[in-house]
Amino acid sequence: QVQLVQSGSEVRKPGASVKVSCKASGYRFTRFAMNWVRQAPGQGLEWMGCFNPNTGNATYAQGFTGRFVFSLDTSVTTAYLQISSLKAEDTAMYYCARSPSVRYYGMDVWGQGTTVTVS
Amino acid sequence: DIQMTQSPSSLSASVGDRVTITCRASQTISNYLNWYQQKPGKAPKFLIDVVSNLQSGVPSRFSGSGSGTDFTLTISSLQPEDFATYYCQQSYSTPSTFGQGTKLEIK
């Protein structure tokens, strides 16, 4: 079945880096964009951006430029979110979610989420 | 960026009630409006896309309507499993944006 399985919880100190993975299975990996969504504790959903496997381009929402990097490794059907120079305010649940394209479509399959704690 | 505003932010209702959640966009988004349901400790679940298209497996008591800037999610007869937080999202332009969420609680 179609699924996205994310890597486990991470705890980092301020200033460190973290890389979250999102392993896709059950569908043709390169036919869908991969979105990243942040949810701070007790807060709502925030779209961070997405990676378009067809163009190799990443789109970042304001507030997620510079320290945040999306990437894909098509050989292992895995998407990655790397966050550098971590700050306490990066503490959140991070979700990957696929969509048929960067625009117009919703996100139909979601990973289970990865908790990143910066302390 | 397009701002999405949901109302109410929270709502208390009883099993069997009909409830409506409103989502307003700061500019027209055509029909590129999606709805998600999130239960505590779980990933969001995709309910509806392009305003009113129910995803496979979503009960027919859920429905969506609207166009342009004003949209609604209606649950015709609340069931115990429907108590959750609901988010709208516009996918018309990047950055995509979510509403702040509507928490539906049991009265």
Side-chain angles (χ1 to χ4, degrees):
Chain A
Q1 73 280 23
V2 176
Q3 60 179 352
L4 300 174
V5 178
Q6 297 184 228
S7 48
S9 299
E10 303 274 11
V11 179
R12 294 286 189 275
K13 294 187 183 301
S17 296
V18 68
K19 194 170 188 176
V20 175
S21 67
C22 171
K23 169 72 175 176
S25 61
Y27 70 96
R28 189 167 172 179
F29 184 61
T30 54
R31 294 195 68 176
F32 290 79
M34 190 64 77
N35 300 265
W36 291 93
V37 176
R38 183 171 78 177
Q39 188 167 38
Q43 303 300 308
L45 304 174
E46 188 174 17
W47 187 79
M48 302 171 64
C50 66
F51 195 100
N52 185 336
N54 291 315
T55 63
N57 291 335
T59 300
Y60 298 92
Q62 197 169 13
F64 297 101
T65 57
R67 299 189 298 114
F68 299 81
V69 177
F70 310 141
S71 60
L72 294 182
D73 185 340
T74 56
S75 67
V76 291
T77 64
T78 300
Y80 301 95
L81 162 66
Q82 183 159 2
I83 312 171
S84 58
S85 302
L86 283 161
K87 305 176 181 180
E89 52 263 41
D90 295 323
T91 294
M93 179 73 82
Y94 292 85
Y95 294 101
C96 60
R98 76 169 195 177
S99 59
S101 70
V102 173
R103 290 173 64 186
Y104 304 133
Y105 296 92
M107 293 170 273
D108 66 340
V109 179
W110 291 64
Q112 81 278 18
T114 297
T115 300
V116 174
T117 302
V118 184
S119 177
Chain B
D1 299 1
I2 297 175
Q3 307 303 313
M4 305 298 292
T5 304
Q6 286 182 235
S7 60
S9 296
S10 63
L11 175 60
S12 294
S14 301
V15 173
D17 284 353
R18 177 185 180 90
V19 299
T20 297
I21 298 168
T22 297
C23 179
R24 174 165 288 175
S26 60
Q27 64 189 73
T28 184
I29 57 171
S30 185
N31 62 340
Y32 296 109
L33 190 282
N34 310 302
W35 290 96
Y36 301 85
Q37 175 194 67
Q38 187 179 33
K39 296 182 178 179
K42 299 294 187 182
K45 175 185 177 183
F46 190 31
L47 293 180
I48 290 173
D49 70 353
V50 288
V51 177
S52 60
N53 180 48
L54 259 63
Q55 298 303 293
S56 175
V58 176
S60 59
R61 62 182 179 272
F62 289 89
S63 63
S65 64
S67 65
T69 61
D70 295 305
F71 305 90
T72 59
L73 171 70
T74 298
I75 310 173
S76 60
S77 178
L78 275 172
Q79 298 302 300
E81 60 268 28
D82 299 337
F83 292 94
T85 300
Y86 293 84
Y87 294 93
C88 62
Q89 176 226 0
Q90 66 83 14
S91 51
Y92 176 70
S93 69
T94 56
S96 177
T97 43
F98 290 93
Q100 80 278 17
T102 295
K103 187 174 184 179
L104 180 52
E105 299 175 302
I106 301 174
K107 184 183 287 184

mmCIF file of all heavy atoms in Angstrom, chain B residues 19-61:
data_model
loop_
_atom_site.group_PDB
_atom_site.id
_atom_site.type_symbol
_atom_site.label_atom_id
_atom_site.label_comp_id
_atom_site.label_asym_id
_atom_site.label_seq_id
_atom_site.Cartn_x
_atom_site.Cartn_y
_atom_site.Cartn_z
ATOM 1 N N VAL B 19 -23.036 20.356 11.813
ATOM 2 C CA VAL B 19 -22.104 21.444 12.075
ATOM 3 C C VAL B 19 -21.510 21.951 10.771
ATOM 4 O O VAL B 19 -21.336 21.195 9.813
ATOM 5 C CB VAL B 19 -20.980 21.038 13.050
ATOM 6 C CG1 VAL B 19 -21.551 20.628 14.395
ATOM 7 C CG2 VAL B 19 -20.108 19.956 12.474
ATOM 8 N N THR B 20 -21.192 23.248 10.796
ATOM 9 C CA THR B 20 -20.577 23.879 9.632
ATOM 10 C C THR B 20 -19.368 24.682 10.073
ATOM 11 O O THR B 20 -19.437 25.439 11.048
ATOM 12 C CB THR B 20 -21.582 24.796 8.906
ATOM 13 O OG1 THR B 20 -22.672 24.011 8.418
ATOM 14 C CG2 THR B 20 -20.909 25.503 7.738
ATOM 15 N N ILE B 21 -18.283 24.491 9.366
ATOM 16 C CA ILE B 21 -17.054 25.233 9.604
ATOM 17 C C ILE B 21 -16.793 26.084 8.362
ATOM 18 O O ILE B 21 -16.915 25.602 7.230
ATOM 19 C CB ILE B 21 -15.875 24.276 9.851
ATOM 20 C CG1 ILE B 21 -16.131 23.438 11.112
ATOM 21 C CG2 ILE B 21 -14.569 25.036 9.954
ATOM 22 C CD1 ILE B 21 -15.162 22.272 11.289
ATOM 23 N N THR B 22 -16.433 27.333 8.597
ATOM 24 C CA THR B 22 -16.212 28.270 7.501
ATOM 25 C C THR B 22 -14.733 28.560 7.325
ATOM 26 O O THR B 22 -13.981 28.638 8.298
ATOM 27 C CB THR B 22 -16.969 29.574 7.774
ATOM 28 O OG1 THR B 22 -18.368 29.294 7.809
ATOM 29 C CG2 THR B 22 -16.691 30.619 6.715
ATOM 30 N N CYS B 23 -14.338 28.728 6.089
ATOM 31 C CA CYS B 23 -12.962 29.058 5.740
ATOM 32 C C CYS B 23 -13.002 30.190 4.711
ATOM 33 O O CYS B 23 -13.685 30.071 3.690
ATOM 34 C CB CYS B 23 -12.269 27.829 5.167
ATOM 35 S SG CYS B 23 -10.555 28.086 4.658
ATOM 36 N N ARG B 24 -12.299 31.263 5.012
ATOM 37 C CA ARG B 24 -12.277 32.415 4.106
ATOM 38 C C ARG B 24 -10.860 32.713 3.666
ATOM 39 O O ARG B 24 -9.943 32.788 4.493
ATOM 40 C CB ARG B 24 -12.889 33.639 4.780
ATOM 41 C CG ARG B 24 -12.770 34.936 3.968
ATOM 42 C CD ARG B 24 -13.677 36.000 4.500
ATOM 43 N NE ARG B 24 -15.085 35.699 4.205
ATOM 44 C CZ ARG B 24 -16.114 36.436 4.650
ATOM 45 N NH1 ARG B 24 -15.878 37.507 5.404
ATOM 46 N NH2 ARG B 24 -17.337 36.104 4.337
ATOM 47 N N ALA B 25 -10.675 32.898 2.367
ATOM 48 C CA ALA B 25 -9.366 33.240 1.813
ATOM 49 C C ALA B 25 -9.247 34.743 1.630
ATOM 50 O O ALA B 25 -10.240 35.419 1.342
ATOM 51 C CB ALA B 25 -9.173 32.532 0.482
ATOM 52 N N SER B 26 -8.029 35.251 1.760
ATOM 53 C CA SER B 26 -7.810 36.693 1.648
ATOM 54 C C SER B 26 -7.880 37.181 0.204
ATOM 55 O O SER B 26 -7.974 38.380 -0.043
ATOM 56 C CB SER B 26 -6.466 37.075 2.264
ATOM 57 O OG SER B 26 -5.408 36.405 1.603
ATOM 58 N N GLN B 27 -7.851 36.250 -0.747
ATOM 59 C CA GLN B 27 -8.059 36.568 -2.157
ATOM 60 C C GLN B 27 -8.596 35.322 -2.831
ATOM 61 O O GLN B 27 -8.560 34.231 -2.253
ATOM 62 C CB GLN B 27 -6.761 37.050 -2.818
ATOM 63 C CG GLN B 27 -5.667 36.014 -2.858
ATOM 64 C CD GLN B 27 -4.340 36.595 -3.313
ATOM 65 O OE1 GLN B 27 -3.693 37.317 -2.574
ATOM 66 N NE2 GLN B 27 -3.961 36.279 -4.542
ATOM 67 N N THR B 28 -9.071 35.491 -4.033
ATOM 68 C CA THR B 28 -9.698 34.345 -4.681
ATOM 69 C C THR B 28 -8.711 33.194 -4.877
ATOM 70 O O THR B 28 -7.539 33.398 -5.198
ATOM 71 C CB THR B 28 -10.320 34.745 -6.036
ATOM 72 O OG1 THR B 28 -10.998 33.602 -6.571
ATOM 73 C CG2 THR B 28 -9.262 35.209 -7.009
ATOM 74 N N ILE B 29 -9.196 31.997 -4.613
ATOM 75 C CA ILE B 29 -8.380 30.795 -4.804
ATOM 76 C C ILE B 29 -9.079 29.823 -5.756
ATOM 77 O O ILE B 29 -8.806 28.620 -5.747
ATOM 78 C CB ILE B 29 -8.045 30.106 -3.468
ATOM 79 C CG1 ILE B 29 -9.324 29.737 -2.699
ATOM 80 C CG2 ILE B 29 -7.128 30.990 -2.627
ATOM 81 C CD1 ILE B 29 -9.052 28.848 -1.477
ATOM 82 N N SER B 30 -9.997 30.356 -6.560
ATOM 83 C CA SER B 30 -10.777 29.514 -7.469
ATOM 84 C C SER B 30 -11.417 28.390 -6.646
ATOM 85 O O SER B 30 -12.106 28.658 -5.672
ATOM 86 C CB SER B 30 -9.894 28.986 -8.589
ATOM 87 O OG SER B 30 -10.657 28.276 -9.532
ATOM 88 N N ASN B 31 -11.182 27.132 -7.039
ATOM 89 C CA ASN B 31 -11.753 26.031 -6.255
ATOM 90 C C ASN B 31 -10.664 25.168 -5.621
ATOM 91 O O ASN B 31 -10.885 24.007 -5.291
ATOM 92 C CB ASN B 31 -12.668 25.172 -7.127
ATOM 93 C CG ASN B 31 -11.920 24.526 -8.274
ATOM 94 O OD1 ASN B 31 -10.837 24.974 -8.653
ATOM 95 N ND2 ASN B 31 -12.469 23.459 -8.814
ATOM 96 N N TYR B 32 -9.487 25.750 -5.435
ATOM 97 C CA TYR B 32 -8.361 24.965 -4.923
ATOM 98 C C TYR B 32 -8.310 25.021 -3.403
ATOM 99 O O TYR B 32 -7.389 25.583 -2.792
ATOM 100 C CB TYR B 32 -7.056 25.438 -5.564
ATOM 101 C CG TYR B 32 -7.078 25.188 -7.054
ATOM 102 C CD1 TYR B 32 -7.187 26.243 -7.960
ATOM 103 C CD2 TYR B 32 -7.037 23.890 -7.561
ATOM 104 C CE1 TYR B 32 -7.243 26.017 -9.322
ATOM 105 C CE2 TYR B 32 -7.085 23.650 -8.925
ATOM 106 C CZ TYR B 32 -7.191 24.720 -9.798
ATOM 107 O OH TYR B 32 -7.250 24.496 -11.140
ATOM 108 N N LEU B 33 -9.323 24.398 -2.810
ATOM 109 C CA LEU B 33 -9.501 24.417 -1.377
ATOM 110 C C LEU B 33 -9.658 22.989 -0.891
ATOM 111 O O LEU B 33 -10.496 22.235 -1.405
ATOM 112 C CB LEU B 33 -10.745 25.263 -1.023
ATOM 113 C CG LEU B 33 -11.027 25.627 0.436
ATOM 114 C CD1 LEU B 33 -11.632 24.472 1.231
ATOM 115 C CD2 LEU B 33 -9.778 26.144 1.153
ATOM 116 N N ASN B 34 -8.842 22.637 0.104
ATOM 117 C CA ASN B 34 -8.819 21.284 0.645
ATOM 118 C C ASN B 34 -9.130 21.310 2.135
ATOM 119 O O ASN B 34 -8.907 22.321 2.804
ATOM 120 C CB ASN B 34 -7.420 20.680 0.443
ATOM 121 C CG ASN B 34 -6.929 20.832 -0.985
ATOM 122 O OD1 ASN B 34 -7.567 20.377 -1.929
ATOM 123 N ND2 ASN B 34 -5.803 21.510 -1.148
ATOM 124 N N TRP B 35 -9.615 20.179 2.632
ATOM 125 C CA TRP B 35 -9.927 20.036 4.058
ATOM 126 C C TRP B 35 -9.229 18.799 4.613
ATOM 127 O O TRP B 35 -9.164 17.763 3.952
ATOM 128 C CB TRP B 35 -11.428 19.899 4.288
ATOM 129 C CG TRP B 35 -12.232 21.136 4.033
ATOM 130 C CD1 TRP B 35 -12.901 21.448 2.888
ATOM 131 C CD2 TRP B 35 -12.455 22.219 4.943
ATOM 132 N NE1 TRP B 35 -13.529 22.660 3.031
ATOM 133 C CE2 TRP B 35 -13.280 23.154 4.290
ATOM 134 C CE3 TRP B 35 -12.043 22.486 6.256
ATOM 135 C CZ2 TRP B 35 -13.703 24.341 4.886
ATOM 136 C CZ3 TRP B 35 -12.456 23.664 6.854
ATOM 137 C CH2 TRP B 35 -13.278 24.579 6.179
ATOM 138 N N TYR B 36 -8.752 18.935 5.855
ATOM 139 C CA TYR B 36 -8.084 17.851 6.568
ATOM 140 C C TYR B 36 -8.690 17.726 7.957
ATOM 141 O O TYR B 36 -9.154 18.708 8.551
ATOM 142 C CB TYR B 36 -6.580 18.144 6.709
ATOM 143 C CG TYR B 36 -5.862 18.314 5.394
ATOM 144 C CD1 TYR B 36 -5.852 19.552 4.754
ATOM 145 C CD2 TYR B 36 -5.212 17.247 4.790
ATOM 146 C CE1 TYR B 36 -5.213 19.716 3.540
ATOM 147 C CE2 TYR B 36 -4.564 17.405 3.573
ATOM 148 C CZ TYR B 36 -4.575 18.648 2.963
ATOM 149 O OH TYR B 36 -3.936 18.811 1.758
ATOM 150 N N GLN B 37 -8.602 16.513 8.465
ATOM 151 C CA GLN B 37 -9.021 16.206 9.838
ATOM 152 C C GLN B 37 -7.797 15.715 10.585
ATOM 153 O O GLN B 37 -7.051 14.876 10.083
ATOM 154 C CB GLN B 37 -10.086 15.103 9.811
ATOM 155 C CG GLN B 37 -10.527 14.598 11.172
ATOM 156 C CD GLN B 37 -11.301 13.288 11.041
ATOM 157 O OE1 GLN B 37 -10.755 12.250 10.667
ATOM 158 N NE2 GLN B 37 -12.599 13.337 11.335
ATOM 159 N N GLN B 38 -7.604 16.215 11.793
ATOM 160 C CA GLN B 38 -6.484 15.741 12.608
ATOM 161 C C GLN B 38 -6.972 15.397 14.003
ATOM 162 O O GLN B 38 -7.606 16.213 14.668
ATOM 163 C CB GLN B 38 -5.362 16.781 12.692
ATOM 164 C CG GLN B 38 -4.125 16.226 13.395
ATOM 165 C CD GLN B 38 -2.990 17.230 13.470
ATOM 166 O OE1 GLN B 38 -3.200 18.434 13.577
ATOM 167 N NE2 GLN B 38 -1.754 16.718 13.414
ATOM 168 N N LYS B 39 -6.644 14.184 14.411
ATOM 169 C CA LYS B 39 -6.934 13.746 15.769
ATOM 170 C C LYS B 39 -5.666 13.837 16.603
ATOM 171 O O LYS B 39 -4.559 13.780 16.054
ATOM 172 C CB LYS B 39 -7.504 12.333 15.748
ATOM 173 C CG LYS B 39 -8.850 12.287 15.027
ATOM 174 C CD LYS B 39 -9.456 10.904 15.030
ATOM 175 C CE LYS B 39 -10.824 10.945 14.325
ATOM 176 N NZ LYS B 39 -11.460 9.606 14.277
ATOM 177 N N PRO B 40 -5.801 13.963 17.919
ATOM 178 C CA PRO B 40 -4.621 14.152 18.771
ATOM 179 C C PRO B 40 -3.580 13.059 18.585
ATOM 180 O O PRO B 40 -3.909 11.859 18.577
ATOM 181 C CB PRO B 40 -5.210 14.125 20.184
ATOM 182 C CG PRO B 40 -6.600 14.618 20.010
ATOM 183 C CD PRO B 40 -7.054 14.055 18.688
ATOM 184 N N GLY B 41 -2.343 13.483 18.395
ATOM 185 C CA GLY B 41 -1.246 12.536 18.255
ATOM 186 C C GLY B 41 -1.169 11.839 16.914
ATOM 187 O O GLY B 41 -0.333 10.925 16.748
ATOM 188 N N LYS B 42 -1.986 12.256 15.964
ATOM 189 C CA LYS B 42 -2.020 11.609 14.647
ATOM 190 C C LYS B 42 -1.691 12.600 13.546
ATOM 191 O O LYS B 42 -1.829 13.807 13.709
ATOM 192 C CB LYS B 42 -3.403 11.004 14.380
ATOM 193 C CG LYS B 42 -3.826 9.939 15.373
ATOM 194 C CD LYS B 42 -2.946 8.703 15.283
ATOM 195 C CE LYS B 42 -3.457 7.580 16.149
ATOM 196 N NZ LYS B 42 -2.555 6.389 16.078
ATOM 197 N N ALA B 43 -1.269 12.061 12.407
ATOM 198 C CA ALA B 43 -1.063 12.897 11.233
ATOM 199 C C ALA B 43 -2.408 13.345 10.679
ATOM 200 O O ALA B 43 -3.423 12.671 10.869
ATOM 201 C CB ALA B 43 -0.295 12.118 10.168
ATOM 202 N N PRO B 44 -2.440 14.475 10.004
ATOM 203 C CA PRO B 44 -3.682 14.892 9.352
ATOM 204 C C PRO B 44 -4.155 13.863 8.341
ATOM 205 O O PRO B 44 -3.357 13.140 7.747
ATOM 206 C CB PRO B 44 -3.285 16.202 8.657
ATOM 207 C CG PRO B 44 -2.130 16.708 9.455
ATOM 208 C CD PRO B 44 -1.383 15.471 9.867
ATOM 209 N N LYS B 45 -5.469 13.838 8.178
ATOM 210 C CA LYS B 45 -6.099 12.956 7.197
ATOM 211 C C LYS B 45 -6.778 13.825 6.142
ATOM 212 O O LYS B 45 -7.502 14.764 6.465
ATOM 213 C CB LYS B 45 -7.147 12.068 7.877
ATOM 214 C CG LYS B 45 -7.950 11.192 6.915
ATOM 215 C CD LYS B 45 -9.041 10.434 7.660
ATOM 216 C CE LYS B 45 -9.898 9.624 6.706
ATOM 217 N NZ LYS B 45 -11.012 8.923 7.424
ATOM 218 N N PHE B 46 -6.536 13.498 4.904
ATOM 219 C CA PHE B 46 -7.084 14.251 3.776
ATOM 220 C C PHE B 46 -8.545 13.895 3.600
ATOM 221 O O PHE B 46 -8.874 12.725 3.389
ATOM 222 C CB PHE B 46 -6.263 13.890 2.543
ATOM 223 C CG PHE B 46 -6.506 14.718 1.319
ATOM 224 C CD1 PHE B 46 -6.880 16.049 1.390
ATOM 225 C CD2 PHE B 46 -6.322 14.165 0.063
ATOM 226 C CE1 PHE B 46 -7.064 16.805 0.251
ATOM 227 C CE2 PHE B 46 -6.501 14.917 -1.093
ATOM 228 C CZ PHE B 46 -6.870 16.222 -1.000
ATOM 229 N N LEU B 47 -9.421 14.883 3.684
ATOM 230 C CA LEU B 47 -10.862 14.626 3.592
ATOM 231 C C LEU B 47 -11.445 15.002 2.227
ATOM 232 O O LEU B 47 -12.181 14.224 1.624
ATOM 233 C CB LEU B 47 -11.610 15.435 4.647
ATOM 234 C CG LEU B 47 -11.418 15.117 6.119
ATOM 235 C CD1 LEU B 47 -12.277 16.056 6.950
ATOM 236 C CD2 LEU B 47 -11.743 13.660 6.404
ATOM 237 N N ILE B 48 -11.167 16.225 1.817
ATOM 238 C CA ILE B 48 -11.856 16.796 0.656
ATOM 239 C C ILE B 48 -10.865 17.633 -0.148
ATOM 240 O O ILE B 48 -10.057 18.371 0.438
ATOM 241 C CB ILE B 48 -13.021 17.708 1.111
ATOM 242 C CG1 ILE B 48 -14.155 16.873 1.721
ATOM 243 C CG2 ILE B 48 -13.538 18.582 -0.020
ATOM 244 C CD1 ILE B 48 -15.268 17.696 2.348
ATOM 245 N N ASP B 49 -10.900 17.515 -1.473
ATOM 246 C CA ASP B 49 -10.140 18.442 -2.304
ATOM 247 C C ASP B 49 -11.065 19.147 -3.287
ATOM 248 O O ASP B 49 -12.238 18.790 -3.430
ATOM 249 C CB ASP B 49 -8.957 17.771 -2.993
ATOM 250 C CG ASP B 49 -9.349 16.789 -4.097
ATOM 251 O OD1 ASP B 49 -10.552 16.516 -4.268
ATOM 252 O OD2 ASP B 49 -8.428 16.300 -4.789
ATOM 253 N N VAL B 50 -10.494 20.148 -3.961
ATOM 254 C CA VAL B 50 -11.238 21.026 -4.876
ATOM 255 C C VAL B 50 -12.649 21.286 -4.375
ATOM 256 O O VAL B 50 -13.647 21.039 -5.074
ATOM 257 C CB VAL B 50 -11.224 20.520 -6.331
ATOM 258 C CG1 VAL B 50 -9.848 20.715 -6.944
ATOM 259 C CG2 VAL B 50 -11.626 19.056 -6.442
ATOM 260 N N VAL B 51 -12.713 21.783 -3.180
ATOM 261 C CA VAL B 51 -13.921 22.273 -2.506
ATOM 262 C C VAL B 51 -14.835 21.162 -2.007
ATOM 263 O O VAL B 51 -15.254 21.175 -0.852
ATOM 264 C CB VAL B 51 -14.731 23.239 -3.409
ATOM 265 C CG1 VAL B 51 -16.020 23.676 -2.698
ATOM 266 C CG2 VAL B 51 -13.896 24.443 -3.780
ATOM 267 N N SER B 52 -15.156 20.210 -2.890
ATOM 268 C CA SER B 52 -16.244 19.290 -2.539
ATOM 269 C C SER B 52 -15.993 17.830 -2.890
ATOM 270 O O SER B 52 -16.901 17.007 -2.732
ATOM 271 C CB SER B 52 -17.529 19.756 -3.246
ATOM 272 O OG SER B 52 -17.341 19.752 -4.643
ATOM 273 N N ASN B 53 -14.806 17.506 -3.364
ATOM 274 C CA ASN B 53 -14.526 16.128 -3.785
ATOM 275 C C ASN B 53 -14.060 15.291 -2.596
ATOM 276 O O ASN B 53 -12.921 15.426 -2.134
ATOM 277 C CB ASN B 53 -13.459 16.149 -4.883
ATOM 278 C CG ASN B 53 -13.127 14.756 -5.361
ATOM 279 O OD1 ASN B 53 -14.014 13.957 -5.648
ATOM 280 N ND2 ASN B 53 -11.838 14.447 -5.460
ATOM 281 N N LEU B 54 -14.941 14.413 -2.116
ATOM 282 C CA LEU B 54 -14.603 13.565 -0.976
ATOM 283 C C LEU B 54 -13.569 12.535 -1.380
ATOM 284 O O LEU B 54 -13.679 11.888 -2.436
ATOM 285 C CB LEU B 54 -15.843 12.840 -0.467
ATOM 286 C CG LEU B 54 -16.526 13.405 0.777
ATOM 287 C CD1 LEU B 54 -17.051 14.795 0.525
ATOM 288 C CD2 LEU B 54 -17.643 12.478 1.240
ATOM 289 N N GLN B 55 -12.566 12.365 -0.517
ATOM 290 C CA GLN B 55 -11.563 11.346 -0.762
ATOM 291 C C GLN B 55 -12.165 9.971 -0.494
ATOM 292 O O GLN B 55 -13.152 9.823 0.252
ATOM 293 C CB GLN B 55 -10.341 11.584 0.106
ATOM 294 C CG GLN B 55 -9.648 12.904 -0.190
ATOM 295 C CD GLN B 55 -9.244 13.016 -1.644
ATOM 296 O OE1 GLN B 55 -8.377 12.290 -2.124
ATOM 297 N NE2 GLN B 55 -9.876 13.957 -2.359
ATOM 298 N N SER B 56 -11.564 8.971 -1.088
ATOM 299 C CA SER B 56 -12.035 7.603 -0.934
ATOM 300 C C SER B 56 -12.078 7.222 0.540
ATOM 301 O O SER B 56 -11.133 7.475 1.283
ATOM 302 C CB SER B 56 -11.098 6.663 -1.689
ATOM 303 O OG SER B 56 -11.454 5.326 -1.462
ATOM 304 N N GLY B 57 -13.200 6.657 0.948
ATOM 305 C CA GLY B 57 -13.336 6.201 2.323
ATOM 306 C C GLY B 57 -13.883 7.238 3.290
ATOM 307 O O GLY B 57 -14.200 6.893 4.427
ATOM 308 N N VAL B 58 -14.008 8.470 2.847
ATOM 309 C CA VAL B 58 -14.557 9.517 3.720
ATOM 310 C C VAL B 58 -16.079 9.410 3.715
ATOM 311 O O VAL B 58 -16.697 9.385 2.646
ATOM 312 C CB VAL B 58 -14.108 10.913 3.252
ATOM 313 C CG1 VAL B 58 -14.767 12.003 4.099
ATOM 314 C CG2 VAL B 58 -12.589 11.036 3.343
ATOM 315 N N PRO B 59 -16.691 9.344 4.888
ATOM 316 C CA PRO B 59 -18.154 9.164 4.943
ATOM 317 C C PRO B 59 -18.907 10.299 4.258
ATOM 318 O O PRO B 59 -18.474 11.459 4.268
ATOM 319 C CB PRO B 59 -18.441 9.150 6.450
ATOM 320 C CG PRO B 59 -17.160 8.753 7.081
ATOM 321 C CD PRO B 59 -16.082 9.329 6.225
ATOM 322 N N SER B 60 -20.045 9.957 3.720
ATOM 323 C CA SER B 60 -20.839 10.933 2.963
ATOM 324 C C SER B 60 -21.477 12.001 3.841
ATOM 325 O O SER B 60 -22.045 12.967 3.316
ATOM 326 C CB SER B 60 -21.920 10.208 2.152
ATOM 327 O OG SER B 60 -22.768 9.480 3.021
ATOM 328 N N ARG B 61 -21.405 11.858 5.143
ATOM 329 C CA ARG B 61 -21.917 12.926 6.010
ATOM 330 C C ARG B 61 -21.038 14.187 5.944
ATOM 331 O O ARG B 61 -21.462 15.247 6.385
ATOM 332 C CB ARG B 61 -22.035 12.453 7.466
ATOM 333 C CG ARG B 61 -20.738 12.050 8.120
ATOM 334 C CD ARG B 61 -20.997 11.560 9.554
ATOM 335 N NE ARG B 61 -19.765 11.132 10.214
ATOM 336 C CZ ARG B 61 -19.287 9.900 10.139
ATOM 337 N NH1 ARG B 61 -19.930 8.986 9.438
ATOM 338 N NH2 ARG B 61 -18.165 9.587 10.762
#
